[in-house]
Amino acid sequence: MEKSDIRKIVIDIIAEIAPDEDLSNLKDDVRLRDQLELDSMDFLDIVMELRKQHNIEVPEADYPHLESLQSCVDYLLPKFNAKK
Amino acid sequence: MANLMDRIVITGVGLTAPNGNSLAEFRKNLLSGCANIQRIDMRYMGLVLAGVCTFSATDYQSKKELRTGTRAGSIGIYCAHKALEDSKIDIDAMDKSRIGIYVGITEHGNVETENEVYQISKFGYDTRFWNHHHNPRTVANNPAGEVSINLGITGPHYTLGGACAGGNLGLIQGVQMLRLGEVDMALVGGVSESIHTFGIFAGFKNQGALAEHADPNKASRPFDKARNGIVISEGGCFFTLERLESALARPNAKIYGEVVGYGINSDAESAVLPCSQRQKECVDLALNKAGIKPSDIDIVNTHATSTILGDIKECQALREAFKDAPNTHFNNTKSFIGHAMGAAGSLELAGNLPAFEDHIVHPTINVEDLDPECALNNLVINKPKLLTKVDTILNNSFGMLGINSVVIVRRYEAKI
């Protein structure tokens, strides 16, 4: 998987969790919370959807890695590739 | 300051029923004989008959709120906004800590729990896949709490679990809290999301109490010999309740009616079988509280749900309670919309309120062959009936475990 694949996966999940948000101009290096109306429950939803849809487990201690699109991609890419 | 003699009036109505998303639309369909029951696909069961609401939930909620909340909460939010709009009250100009939200429910949480169990069944029943939204969705105060959050109302909010008497209980609670001085305004009524839980359908079916008919709109047929059970519906109805003095202080207030009496009692006999004697006593309780006689009642909205025994038992109670009331008329609203469970009491009362102005009793429909055991003097069958006046309406709502509730509303007259 490429970084762009992971980025799309994360954006697709956010689109489900925050269906009212415009995701067309998300900045990769800015905190998601600073660009979108996301709260801690929404981040739990992201964790759940990664688990359900992709069998990816994000331990609580790693939640800070979901801070921005860039940090998500950096954190999740090895996890996705390790699945293979 | 408590004043137990405070007069409490209804100044707003917001509702969603299977045949109407406003009181005007609902009333129009009740007077023109338009039911709206359909077949829906029920998990594990296949097609079942149900009353489905079509209100626009996104008028008052974001898509995200709809995703995380419940159908009951969404119904409540729609009804609350509509009731407030109807009453022309700007709650942002009020002390929101003095507004109460009292919502009757038959049940809550079945839908959400069934959905989660179904959902984790796809993952080998691994509870790591159990949604963290489950608890806020299923706490018993959810349908009232979602309204509180949506409208920023910081006064008390809670539900009243009263089985199918719930809608009346919500209203009664509001009356009591206004009289106790606990709140200055209340959003009251009931909601139901029960068509989204297979358990309710399967329970009624296995009890032999789930309606079936080739024509869905003829399935809910109280008092007819061929009736064979309940049509389950979703829906909701909230009233804006306030003290008469606060309504009169607003020049644009429309007073639908004054809540003059109510009664709640218990059969203390059976979990499911109704008791005529206790139902009659509940009617008497409400009449006594209102200080009026049975003959003062112009319309009785019956609770009858189209079950064989339930309809007979209620008619026995009503024949006894109104034996000296030759001019009292009886009707039924479930014949149009099915049984809206926790919303039934408030929805059915709402459907009758316009009779204060148009003097028309909407009928009970689908009676092709009246069951002699359900015969009532002045039962308005299949066609509306115009009366010379409608001053007082009595609304029955009864529920499982033997809870009975009766509400009496009188046309508002300034000089009473």
Side-chain angles (χ1 to χ4, degrees), chain B residues 98-399:
Chain B
R98 298 287 300 167
I99 302 173
I101 304 167
Y102 308 111
V103 182
I105 52 171
T106 289
E107 51 81 28
H108 183 75
N110 281 309
V111 174
E112 296 74 21
T113 303
E114 285 179 8
N115 284 345
E116 283 309 304
V117 172
Y118 178 77
Q119 203 267 135
I120 68 166
S121 76
K122 306 297 180 191
F123 297 94
Y125 293 100
D126 184 342
T127 56
R128 287 184 308 123
F129 295 91
W130 189 269
N131 198 303
H132 61 92
H133 294 294
H134 178 258
N135 290 355
R137 283 174 178 157
T138 58
V139 286
N141 61 319
N142 170 282
E146 286 203 32
V147 174
S148 158
I149 292 170
N150 182 274
L151 283 163
I153 291 174
T154 58
H157 84 259
Y158 48 89
T159 55
L160 295 103
C164 299
N168 270 357
L169 300 194
L171 184 147
I172 292 167
Q173 184 77 12
V175 170
Q176 293 171 333
M177 288 300 158
L178 282 160
R179 285 182 174 154
L180 286 172
E182 296 288 336
V183 294
D184 293 328
M185 196 194 91
L187 289 166
V188 304
V191 296
S192 172
E193 62 175 19
S194 295
I195 64 164
H196 303 281
T197 156
F198 78 89
I200 302 285
F201 285 84
F204 278 135
K205 184 165 188 177
N206 295 341
Q207 188 189 332
L210 191 67
E212 182 47 53
H213 194 285
D215 179 349
N217 285 333
K218 291 185 175 177
S220 183
R221 46 196 310 119
F223 315 127
D224 187 79
K225 265 187 185 172
R227 67 189 183 281
N228 57 16
I230 294 168
V231 171
I232 302 164
S233 298
E234 66 174 356
C237 176
F238 279 13
F239 300 112
T240 307
L241 274 192
E242 57 186 311
R243 296 183 194 91
L244 177 61
E245 62 191 36
S246 73
L248 293 178
R250 291 185 295 111
N252 60 357
K254 173 181 171 61
I255 298 178
Y256 283 91
E258 178 180 356
V259 184
V260 293
Y262 60 83
I264 304 172
N265 73 354
S266 303
D267 294 345
E269 278 187 4
S270 162
V272 292
L273 300 178
C275 171
S276 295
Q277 179 60 28
R278 299 290 173 259
Q279 290 178 353
K280 190 258 181 191
E281 288 170 5
C282 194
V283 170
D284 291 344
L285 193 60
L287 289 167
N288 288 338
K289 202 159 279 187
I292 60 177
K293 306 183 297 294
S295 58
D296 292 322
I297 301 293
D298 297 303
I299 300 174
V300 173
N301 180 81
T302 62
H303 171 76
T305 62
S306 193
T307 63
I308 299 291
L309 188 63
D311 292 11
I312 291 172
K313 288 286 186 182
E314 183 178 10
C315 289
Q316 287 172 350
L318 292 175
R319 281 194 295 268
E320 183 63 23
F322 291 93
K323 62 186 175 188
D324 298 321
N327 296 318
T328 299
H329 287 70
F330 302 87
N331 70 0
N332 182 278
T333 311
K334 291 185 181 74
S335 54
F336 294 80
I337 62 171
H339 191 348
M341 314 291 282
S346 52
L347 260 180
E348 295 171 18
L349 174 61
N352 279 283
L353 287 179
F356 288 141
E357 291 185 345
D358 61 26
H359 303 169
I360 301 172
V361 189
H362 75 255
T364 184
I365 58 171
N366 296 325
V367 180
E368 293 171 9
D369 188 6
L370 179 66
D371 181 347
E373 293 196 77
C374 296
L376 291 168
N377 190 31
N378 293 326
L379 178 61
V380 179
I381 295 176
N382 296 337
K383 289 181 181 172
K385 183 172 180 181
L386 179 65
L387 305 184
T388 54
K389 57 125 186 139
V390 174
D391 289 335
T392 314
I393 296 168
L394 183 146
N395 186 42
N396 278 350
S397 251
F398 310 136

Side-chain angles (χ1 to χ4, degrees), chain A residues 21-43:
Chain A
E21 300 279 356
D22 176 6
L23 306 179
S24 57
N25 294 308
L26 276 183
K27 295 184 176 66
D28 288 33
D29 55 348
V30 176
R31 278 168 29 119
L32 288 166
R33 277 193 187 203
D34 293 340
Q35 304 180 76
L36 304 169
E37 283 193 25
L38 295 177
D39 58 26
S40 58
M41 299 291 269
D42 297 320
F43 280 89

Side-chain angles (χ1 to χ4, degrees), chain A residues 16-17 19-20 37 41-42 44-45 48 51-52 57, chain B residues 62-64 67-68 119 123 128-133:
Chain A
E16 288 176 36
I17 289 163
D20 307 287
E37 283 193 25
M41 299 291 269
D42 297 320
L44 288 175
D45 284 332
M48 178 63 87
R51 182 183 295 144
K52 275 188 193 170
E57 200 63 40
Chain B
S62 67
K63 292 175 188 167
K64 181 173 157 183
R67 183 181 67 79
T68 56
Q119 203 267 135
F123 297 94
R128 287 184 308 123
F129 295 91
W130 189 269
N131 198 303
H132 61 92
H133 294 294

Side-chain angles (χ1 to χ4, degrees), chain B residues 35-49:
Chain B
N36 187 21
I37 303 300
Q38 53 191 278
R39 292 189 192 278
I40 62 172
D41 193 21
M42 184 57 51
R43 181 184 293 153
Y44 307 135
M45 294 179 73
L47 294 177
V48 295
L49 294 169

